[in-house]
Amino acid sequence: QLDINTYEPYTYEVLAKHGGKLPRWTALGGDKEEAMKNTVDIVLASLTPNHKKFTGRLAMRQAELLALGEKKFKGFHINDLLTISKKDMVAINLTRLKTLLVELLSHKIVIEQEGMYRMPFPMEELQVIGETHSGL
């Protein structure tokens, strides 16, 4: 057996095989918005059903507020998130809610700025997340 390696990068082979863009599953090809969508899909697929439900309800509530013209929407206070989570008995106290938020914050599905929490997606994406994962 003879191993031959040119030590040349695989750039041209990859581009030829995948039509000029890296495949979606790499989350490296396409634009930033597409890569973020891929990340969101992967993270949401790994969440528990209750965690998905909370994320979906949060997305729906944020989309509703944006649809009502809340242009200065800065996010939800932690108590607002607790109210959303209590409706479905997903998290009935702050300790449990903060546990749910850790995963969402670490993957930037939820961001926190100045003590306010929000999902950094356009309204259309929020609606898709809400419809897909809210359990309604």
Side-chain angles (χ1 to χ4, degrees):
Q1 176 179 351
L2 181 63
D3 290 329
I4 300 174
N5 192 332
T6 64
Y7 298 100
E8 294 294 324
Y10 292 103
T11 306
Y12 298 109
E13 290 175 41
V14 171
L15 292 176
K17 183 174 181 177
H18 297 288
K21 288 172 47 176
L22 291 173
R24 279 183 56 131
W25 55 263
T26 65
L28 299 172
D31 57 20
K32 186 177 179 181
E33 187 174 310
E34 184 178 335
M36 182 59 114
K37 168 104 175 73
N38 292 338
T39 301
V40 170
D41 291 344
I42 292 167
V43 172
L44 288 176
S46 70
L47 298 177
T48 65
N50 278 342
H51 209 158
K52 287 180 191 177
K53 185 184 286 188
F54 169 72
T55 306
R57 296 286 171 97
L58 178 60
M60 286 180 69
R61 184 67 185 129
Q62 185 171 324
E64 289 168 2
L65 292 172
L66 292 172
L68 291 172
E70 295 284 335
K71 297 200 187 295
K72 295 183 180 181
F73 178 75
K74 294 194 187 278
F76 298 100
H77 187 272
I78 192 80
N79 291 332
D80 298 327
L81 296 179
L82 186 58
T83 300
I84 292 169
S85 69
K86 279 183 175 180
K87 286 183 181 176
D88 295 309
M89 302 294 286
V90 173
I92 58 171
N93 59 48
L94 281 175
T95 304
R96 176 71 179 127
L97 175 61
K98 288 181 180 180
T99 302
L100 292 175
L101 286 174
V102 167
E103 186 82 16
L104 300 175
L105 288 165
S106 68
H107 292 288
K108 294 183 175 48
I109 291 176
V110 171
I111 58 172
E112 186 264 332
Q113 293 174 321
E114 300 175 14
M116 303 297 277
Y117 298 86
R118 67 179 178 84
M119 299 179 81
F121 307 114
M123 188 163 58
E124 297 78 24
E125 182 69 21
L126 292 169
Q127 290 170 331
V128 169
I129 293 169
E131 290 169 4
T132 307
H133 299 288
S134 68
L136 293 178

